Amino acid sequence: MKILLAVDGSEHALRAANEVAASAARLAQPLEVVLLTVQPPVASGLVRRFLSKEALDAYYRDEAQAALEPATGVLAAAKLTADTHVVVGQVAQTIAEFAVCHGCDQIVMGTRGLGGVKGALLGSVTSEVLHLTALPVLLVK
């Protein structure tokens, strides 16, 4: 089984990583983990005008490292290796497309679980991913 674990460094993403580690211990078959963090692009032309490409790349790299570090630690403690990826793009769309392109069987991600009217008004990456993919998505709250 090949799982895409999408993380952003949050407490909710850490819970999702813990769920993947626990699932791996329960499964009789090997679990292949693809660990992904998506960095939203810096949209402002003004920011891009004053930052060099190198500075922007360093920013994305630092943010990605901070997002990946907690999940990487959980997976390592569970003796799981992950194929790790960093992508700059629209978060939900990138997660959905990346899972399909990399032959994943399932997407696992954390959610704040706002639900109801508040969740609908604010929108969320998780709800967008659910609308954009036909793959099973495990949401960990």
Side-chain angles (χ1 to χ4, degrees):
M1 176 169 229
K2 190 172 187 177
I3 291 178
L4 174 70
L5 174 58
V7 298
D8 62 2
S10 69
E11 168 188 328
H12 312 288
L14 183 58
R15 285 191 196 117
N18 280 310
E19 179 60 32
V20 168
S23 294
R26 291 189 302 262
L27 289 174
Q29 65 189 37
L31 182 64
E32 187 176 347
V33 180
V34 177
L35 183 59
L36 172 68
T37 187
V38 181
Q39 299 301 305
V42 173
S44 170
L46 187 59
V47 171
R48 288 184 178 178
R49 197 163 120 196
F50 291 105
L51 285 179
S52 67
K53 180 181 179 339
E54 293 77 20
L56 198 52
D57 287 346
Y59 167 77
Y60 289 134
R61 188 174 44 254
D62 293 346
E63 291 294 307
Q65 182 178 354
L68 291 166
E69 198 170 282
T72 302
V74 167
L75 296 176
K79 299 190 181 353
L80 289 171
T81 57
D83 185 15
T84 303
H85 300 269
V86 176
V87 177
V88 176
Q90 300 304 318
V91 180
Q93 183 177 356
T94 301
I95 291 169
E97 290 173 358
F98 196 93
V100 172
C101 289
H102 286 80
C104 296
D105 301 303
Q106 182 181 38
I107 299 170
V108 178
M109 54 195 306
T111 181
R112 289 183 0 189
L114 294 175
V117 174
K118 190 172 185 179
L121 291 175
L122 295 176
S124 75
V125 171
T126 53
S127 63
E128 285 184 59
V129 170
L130 289 170
H131 289 293
L132 292 170
T133 188
L135 291 173
V137 179
L138 174 62
L139 301 178
V140 180
K141 187 173 176 183

